[in-house]
Amino acid sequence: MLEEGLTLHPVAAPLLLLAGMLREYVDDLDGAERFYRRAVEEDPQLAHAHKALGDAAYRRGAHEEAQRAYTRVIELMPDFSDDVHARLGNLHFRRGEARAARDSWERALRLNPDNEAARSSLQLAAHAVE
């Protein structure tokens, strides 16, 4: 059905995002990323597509690209998800931006107090500064 939908609506960003998710599901990460990029091009306001693109970049170690994508998600939807803020915190920390990292991890915890990754990162960063 998705292929038929894309045939009828080849520039529908939600369909492109879904196609990327399906490519990712079958471990075709390059194909997934191509669909995510097309989704972002077609609808720059689609936060979910930016998140998926950020996740793909994060996985392959393209940290600056991931940071841009996650920053865009937050611009579009500040409370999108705790994991966007947690990963953005990790990226800030890698760049030596301790304050921004802490702010991101704290934001992740406000959105989801059970986010253990953000909590652990905050604790480890506090110990590293001591």
Side-chain angles (χ1 to χ4, degrees):
M1 281 195 314
L2 181 59
E3 287 178 10
E4 183 179 329
L6 283 170
T7 299
L8 295 171
H9 308 283
V11 296
L15 293 178
L16 293 167
L17 174 60
L18 183 57
M21 294 169 74
L22 289 175
R23 296 296 350 141
E24 190 171 344
Y25 181 76
V26 297
D27 278 337
D28 177 7
L29 300 180
D30 291 335
E33 194 167 348
R34 281 192 300 276
F35 277 111
Y36 297 150
R37 285 188 192 288
R38 287 180 52 204
V40 165
E41 289 170 6
E42 294 302 330
D43 185 355
Q45 303 301 310
L46 186 58
H48 292 81
H50 288 280
K51 161 74 164 74
L53 190 56
D55 289 347
Y58 191 93
R59 268 193 310 276
R60 66 179 164 78
H63 297 134
E64 288 183 24
E65 184 178 341
Q67 188 165 357
R68 282 191 304 273
Y70 291 144
T71 298
R72 183 67 179 139
V73 171
I74 292 168
E75 289 170 355
L76 293 168
M77 297 178 70
D79 294 335
F80 182 84
S81 75
D82 57 303
D83 70 316
V84 168
H85 290 278
R87 286 189 174 185
L88 195 53
N90 297 344
L91 295 168
H92 282 302
F93 192 75
R94 292 179 67 91
R95 295 172 59 112
E97 301 164 348
R99 178 71 175 157
R102 190 170 59 248
D103 290 347
S104 292
W105 292 324
E106 288 172 352
R107 179 70 173 183
L109 286 172
R110 282 194 300 276
L111 292 171
N112 177 8
D114 295 327
N115 186 321
E116 288 303 319
R119 184 176 317 288
S120 296
S121 295
L122 269 173
Q123 291 170 347
L124 289 171
H127 287 44
V129 174
E130 292 177 359

